[in-house]
Amino acid sequence: VSEDRVDLILRQWARERPDLDASPMEVIGRIMRMSRHLERELQTVYQRYGLDFGLFDVLATLRRSGAPYRLSPKELNDWCMLTSGAMTARLDRLEKSGLVARRADPGDRRGILVELSPAGLALIDDVVEQHLVNEERLLAPLGARERVELARLLRQLVAPIEANGERRASLPRVSDPTRTPTGESAIA
Amino acid sequence: VSEDRVDLILRQWARERPDLDASPMEVIGRIMRMSRHLERELQTVYQRYGLDFGLFDVLATLRRSGAPYRLSPKELNDWCMLTSGAMTARLDRLEKSGLVARRADPGDRRGILVELSPAGLALIDDVVEQHLVNEERLLAPLGARERVELARLLRQLVAPIEANGERRASLPRVSDPTRTPTGESAIA
DNA sequence: GAAGATTGAGCCCTCAATCTTC
DNA sequence: GAAGATTGAGGGCTCAATCTTC
């Protein structure tokens, strides 16, 4: 029964622009605001171990890939939703801390392989446990049934977007009404 | 019925650490990944108008506050989940573009008031319409009933966190098991 | 020519310090 | 002393260019 900022935002839009249907913000605005809140709340665990979200994400990806905990930077890019340049920087930091090591890829001399060090493995196995306790705390307002339902609805939203890598275009592309579709205005 | 990355992530954790219950990630992981996807998808509209998410957010906040479209930087900070330094930078950019103007606050000479210019008002009224069309597209996988349900569940998650400003501590604070609660180890 | 990794420039953020006014 | 706005330092990101290898 409690209100949040998005409730206020919608009421403001209804007053100022009653011609618009701002209801999509109820879902999308809450997802984006909750994500910001989560970044802040989850950090309380990471920083106990000298990590941040980015480094945790890389370590966790290597850990759950299974022994020998070895992935290419390219694979890490895909999992972590990151550009390759940013991943290089993350790996530099992790290597400097001794949590991962870069090895030459025997099968492809362009590539390298990133491997969890024993210290990195021990660390992430610790952190992920605290991390899950922390996530549990943040989900406390929801019952078991509600969590399943929420997870299902979110999957429906995410899956079409993440499928666009393998299959093609489950969601329509944005059209730009300021440009004519046939390119007649290509003179400019 | 379609799968997403989080489904794969959970299967990996189940294989590697069957002792853990990783199910909280089904909700939290999806919220954070969806937020990243949204940032990318929503930008396609902003950039048509030479804006980014941050500038849109400020303009929209001023617009929906109602005439005379005037707020203090402090109020904008609260709505936009931002530090004051970042807001100063955003306002510098918006002022340089002529979309807002800084005015002296007649009631408090420490503060200023930020006001939407006529150009800024016209622009945001245009952008927000396209923005809602874009959001509608991203919600296409959900039916009307599902959107209401999703919005409700997300509110249950967000509201306790956002209530922590006015009331006190609806959610438990994180405890740090590496430190003794009574401070006996405060010698170090 | 394309793919994988790296580099540097530029951007926007956080954080802490500062200045003014309450 | 506290609150509001600004500043500068530092960090992590994107983007485009580069280098090597396929």
Side-chain angles (χ1 to χ4, degrees):
Chain A
V1 296
S2 198
E3 288 207 335
D4 66 359
R5 288 278 182 167
V6 171
D7 285 316
L8 297 175
I9 289 173
L10 253 81
R11 221 172 309 157
Q12 289 184 313
W13 280 121
R15 176 167 49 85
E16 291 297 318
R17 291 290 305 267
D19 59 313
L20 297 180
D21 171 21
S23 63
M25 295 183 187
E26 273 210 85
V27 169
I28 288 178
R30 284 199 178 99
I31 289 175
M32 299 192 73
R33 292 183 66 90
M34 186 65 195
S35 182
R36 301 284 315 260
H37 289 304
L38 286 172
E39 279 178 31
R40 191 188 57 244
E41 294 292 333
L42 296 182
Q43 221 182 349
T44 60
V45 168
Y46 305 143
Q47 67 188 12
R48 269 182 228 159
Y49 297 88
L51 299 176
D52 58 23
F53 177 79
L55 300 188
F56 170 83
D57 199 18
V58 173
L59 294 177
T61 302
L62 287 167
R63 174 62 184 87
R64 67 172 196 266
S65 75
Y69 313 115
R70 199 147 48 193
L71 292 173
S72 71
K74 171 64 171 158
E75 290 172 299
L76 289 169
N77 275 334
D78 295 341
W79 282 110
C80 299
M81 303 182 72
L82 216 61
T83 61
S84 55
M87 183 55 69
T88 297
R90 284 188 184 180
L91 295 176
D92 286 344
R93 280 188 289 155
L94 285 171
E95 195 169 34
K96 197 163 297 181
S97 307
L99 299 174
V100 307
R102 284 176 164 105
R103 312 168 60 86
D105 183 339
D108 185 339
R109 267 182 302 188
R110 289 173 305 181
I112 64 168
L113 292 174
V114 181
E115 184 176 322
L116 222 45
S117 74
L121 175 59
L123 180 69
I124 189 59
D125 266 334
D126 263 19
V127 182
V128 76
E129 290 191 29
Q130 298 301 317
H131 174 67
L132 282 170
V133 171
N134 199 15
E135 289 196 333
E136 183 66 37
R137 171 181 69 91
L138 295 162
L139 293 183
L142 297 181
R145 269 275 168 56
E146 293 174 314
R147 297 184 195 190
V148 172
E149 179 66 4
L150 180 50
R152 187 185 71 82
L153 292 168
L154 287 169
R155 179 177 29 239
Q156 275 188 258
L157 230 43
V158 176
I161 295 176
E162 302 200 333
N164 275 358
E166 298 96 40
R167 321 187 195 188
R168 232 22 240 161
S170 318
L171 280 182
R173 219 57 218 130
V174 272
S175 68
D176 186 342
T178 65
R179 309 196 192 293
T180 59
T182 47
E184 300 172 53
S185 67
I187 327 164
Chain B
V1 293
S2 198
E3 288 207 333
D4 67 357
R5 289 276 182 169
V6 172
D7 285 316
L8 297 174
I9 289 172
L10 253 82
R11 223 173 306 157
Q12 290 183 312
W13 279 121
R15 175 166 50 86
E16 291 297 318
R17 291 290 305 268
D19 58 313
L20 296 180
D21 171 22
S23 64
M25 295 184 187
E26 276 212 81
V27 169
I28 288 178
R30 285 199 178 99
I31 288 175
M32 298 192 73
R33 292 183 66 88
M34 186 66 195
S35 182
R36 300 287 311 262
H37 290 304
L38 286 172
E39 280 179 30
R40 192 188 57 245
E41 294 291 334
L42 295 181
Q43 221 184 349
T44 61
V45 167
Y46 306 143
Q47 65 188 13
R48 270 181 227 159
Y49 298 86
L51 299 176
D52 59 23
F53 178 80
L55 301 188
F56 170 83
D57 199 18
V58 173
L59 293 178
T61 303
L62 287 167
R63 174 61 184 89
R64 67 173 195 266
S65 76
Y69 314 114
R70 200 150 42 194
L71 292 173
S72 71
K74 172 65 171 158
E75 290 173 298
L76 289 169
N77 276 333
D78 295 341
W79 283 111
C80 298
M81 303 181 73
L82 216 60
T83 60
S84 56
M87 183 56 68
T88 297
R90 283 188 184 181
L91 296 176
D92 286 344
R93 281 188 289 154
L94 285 170
E95 195 169 35
K96 196 163 301 181
S97 307
L99 299 174
V100 308
R102 284 176 164 104
R103 311 169 61 88
D105 183 339
D108 185 340
R109 264 182 303 188
R110 289 173 304 178
I112 65 167
L113 291 174
V114 181
E115 184 177 323
L116 222 44
S117 74
L121 176 58
L123 180 69
I124 189 59
D125 265 336
D126 263 19
V127 181
V128 76
E129 292 192 27
Q130 299 301 317
H131 174 68
L132 283 169
V133 171
N134 198 16
E135 288 195 334
E136 183 66 37
R137 170 182 70 92
L138 295 162
L139 292 183
L142 297 181
R145 270 274 169 56
E146 292 174 314
R147 297 184 196 189
V148 172
E149 179 67 3
L150 180 50
R152 188 186 69 85
L153 292 168
L154 287 169
R155 185 200 287 107
Q156 274 189 260
L157 231 41
V158 175
I161 295 176
E162 301 200 331
N164 275 358
E166 297 95 41
R167 323 187 193 190
R168 231 23 238 162
S170 319
L171 281 181
R173 219 55 218 136
V174 275
S175 67
D176 186 343
T178 66
R179 311 197 190 289
T180 59
T182 47
E184 301 172 51
S185 67
I187 328 163

